[in-house]
Amino acid sequence: LARKGNIFMRQGKLDEAIAAYDKSLMEDTNPKVKDDLNKCKKMKKEKEAKEYINPELAEKHNEQGSALYK
């Protein structure tokens, strides 16, 4: 399952990779798999942060915030 997680991570399917790593750790607590899992979670967090940086989305949130204070 750890190899399956590696493949998913290389394909960019981070949710599937995290699930595969979790299943692998249930069978055997391997430190390398734990490191890969942490690396995958970090990649997912960075990817979500980059996706959130969107001028249109920022403008939409700014308008919603401004509407609350009027």
Side-chain angles (χ1 to χ4, degrees):
L1 290 171
R3 290 187 291 179
K4 191 175 184 179
N6 289 336
I7 292 169
F8 281 137
M9 188 167 62
R10 288 185 188 131
Q11 291 176 344
K13 299 177 181 178
L14 300 177
D15 291 327
E16 291 90 346
I18 291 170
Y21 286 136
D22 283 335
K23 287 181 184 178
S24 177
L25 287 171
M26 290 180 107
E27 292 178 3
D28 181 28
T29 56
N30 185 339
K32 176 156 178 18
V33 176
K34 285 183 182 181
D35 291 340
D36 289 341
L37 175 62
N38 289 334
K39 186 168 86 171
C40 188
K41 286 181 179 180
K42 184 178 177 184
M43 286 174 60
K44 181 180 177 187
K45 185 177 178 181
E46 290 172 357
K47 181 181 175 186
E48 289 174 348
K50 285 181 184 178
E51 288 175 353
Y52 189 74
I53 298 173
N54 181 350
E56 292 123 13
L57 185 61
E59 185 62 33
K60 177 183 170 189
H61 284 254
N62 188 21
E63 290 172 4
Q64 289 175 348
S66 296
L68 292 174
Y69 288 105
K70 287 184 180 183

